[in-house]
Amino acid sequence: MPTGGVNAPVPVAAEATPAVDPRLIVRQEGVKGYLGEFRRRLSSGELGSLPVILALIVIWAVFGSLNSSFLSAQNLSNLSQQIVGTGMIAIGVVFVLLLGEIDLSVGSVSGLCAAIYAVLEVTHGVNQWLALLCALCSGAAVGLVQGFFFARIGVPAFVVTLAGNLGWNGLMLQVLGASGTVNLSGRDIVSRLYSTVYEQQIAAYGLATAGVAVFLAASLVDSARRRVNGVPSRPVTDIALRTVLLAVVAYLAAYTLNQYKGLPLALVVFLAFIVVLDFVLRRTGYGRQVFALGGNIEGARRAGINVARIRMSVFMICSTMAAIGGLFLAAQIQSASQTSGGGNLLMNAIAAAVIGGTSLFGGRGSTWSALLGALVIGSIQSGMNIEGLSNAIQFMITGAVLLAAVVIDSLARRTQKAAGRA
């Protein structure tokens, strides 16, 4: 036993900083808590939708300064209709990206389902509702087939959907036949869904009021449920501030739409799909399983999640949304042709999901990403068309925006890993 010398200091393990719920910070510190939480989110790479919202503001400011007609009620109202087809497809892409996978067949699937609907309804005189159902079921069946090869056989999703992109495009050409083009009547259900506009001002303002009211009620119910369960919840002032901000945006949008023709039904349908599927992702067990697979597939499998079933169902949702988007795009040009689903539709749909904030690495995203991303891409195209710029310039700028979104996503993910939050 030693009798002299200096005892070496006993190393003390550093205490881990406990994670603090941001709602608790805001409740305790008020405005200071908001600022502190904002700085924390920036430093840890949790940017959320902030980059795309800032990008959208810059895009609108630039094109608005170049030509005042860009921010006119007519152009913005037309924009709200024109983004619906691509936006619908982008919603389905969001689901696949949440798994950390990709679907390269959505363009061809959209064209195929539009052709099936047009040929059945116009050429063969099938009841329009039955033709619509057949088109949607065809989309779901395509997703089931591709999901089976991916989830059960083990073929990479990239390969399966790339093959599907070619195969479904060939099937679309076969369905259209020798004529290659089938014109819609303009009186069918799909055409009416796209072209109907509610001219009464109460329609747009009523939708804005309903949206704000539902958001407020859901926030209050969630806060009350958390308090009952002893979980930190958002304070009433926080909920009130968010509701006011939403109300400003909603009523400003309603006012703009009413300055032209009114509320497009296509926009209502688009928003309905976003809200419902956002609820599915964030508030249901199925949605949590989708996020779990994208975040850590091995952990999800050990937790008892049926990985194959979730994967197949996600690809079915993606293809079904591609079918819906294809129908709206066909209604927009009043026909289904050999070019349906082609061009830059596939890239725009994927770009909309990624630009809107859905991570290419899986596990992070929202159906609202489809709306934000579609607005960015649609705004770029609309602004450049007004300025008379060529498609070449549009493609280059859209590509640059997509690259910027992916770079931001990669840097945010790296920052989160460094901060121990990924």
Side-chain angles (χ1 to χ4, degrees), residues 124-373:
H124 297 291
V126 175
N127 178 274
Q128 58 182 347
W129 289 101
L130 181 58
L132 176 61
L133 179 62
C134 289
L136 296 180
C137 289
S138 298
V142 167
L144 179 62
V145 170
Q146 295 185 153
F148 174 80
F149 279 101
F150 168 56
R152 296 292 187 184
I153 306 301
V155 183
F158 179 90
V159 177
V160 171
T161 57
L162 180 59
N165 182 47
L166 299 173
W168 307 128
N169 185 64
L171 182 57
M172 178 193 72
L173 299 179
Q174 185 71 28
V175 169
L176 289 171
S179 65
T181 301
V182 178
N183 295 319
L184 300 180
S185 65
R187 299 182 301 274
D188 59 284
I189 179 61
V190 173
S191 297
R192 293 201 305 272
L193 281 174
Y194 180 81
S195 61
T196 297
V197 177
Y198 297 108
E199 298 180 355
Q200 301 84 354
Q201 292 195 0
I202 187 62
Y205 288 125
L207 179 63
T209 302
V212 173
V214 169
F215 174 81
L216 176 60
S219 299
L220 292 175
V221 169
D222 181 66
S223 180
R225 179 176 58 83
R226 285 176 170 274
R227 285 197 302 271
V228 169
N229 293 319
V231 180
S233 60
R234 295 192 185 278
V236 176
T237 53
D238 184 20
I239 295 175
L241 178 60
R242 291 168 179 265
T243 303
V244 169
L245 291 176
L246 176 62
V248 170
V249 174
Y251 284 110
L252 183 59
Y255 172 80
T256 303
L257 293 173
N258 282 333
Q259 294 304 301
Y260 184 49
K261 290 183 178 180
L263 177 64
L265 178 58
L267 178 61
V268 178
V269 175
F270 184 30
L271 292 175
F273 271 99
I274 290 175
V275 171
V276 171
L277 292 178
D278 179 65
F279 177 85
V280 170
L281 282 176
R282 296 194 303 114
R283 301 293 184 180
T284 67
Y286 173 80
R288 288 187 285 272
Q289 290 177 353
V290 172
F291 278 106
L293 258 65
N296 186 339
I297 184 172
E298 189 57 37
R301 182 180 286 111
R302 292 181 179 180
I305 295 177
N306 190 329
V307 174
R309 181 180 66 85
I310 297 297
R311 282 177 161 178
M312 292 174 65
S313 66
V314 164
F315 274 87
M316 288 180 67
I317 291 173
C318 182
S319 293
T320 302
M321 293 307 302
I324 296 172
L327 292 171
F328 274 99
L329 290 171
Q332 183 176 338
I333 62 175
Q334 282 295 287
S335 68
S337 68
Q338 294 179 347
T339 60
S340 296
N344 59 344
L345 176 60
L346 169 63
M347 291 299 101
N348 280 346
I350 296 175
V354 176
I355 291 173
T358 300
S359 175
L360 280 171
F361 303 100
R364 189 173 73 250
S366 165
T367 55
W368 292 99
S369 302
L371 173 61
L372 293 173

Side-chain angles (χ1 to χ4, degrees), residues 17-23 25 32-47 415-416 419-421:
T17 303
V20 181
D21 193 298
R23 287 174 288 262
I25 296 177
K32 182 181 177 182
Y34 278 109
L35 296 176
E37 173 61 12
F38 179 72
R39 287 194 297 267
R40 184 197 66 79
R41 291 175 67 89
L42 286 180
S43 63
S44 61
E46 299 176 43
L47 302 176
T415 305
Q416 288 179 351
R421 303 183 67 87

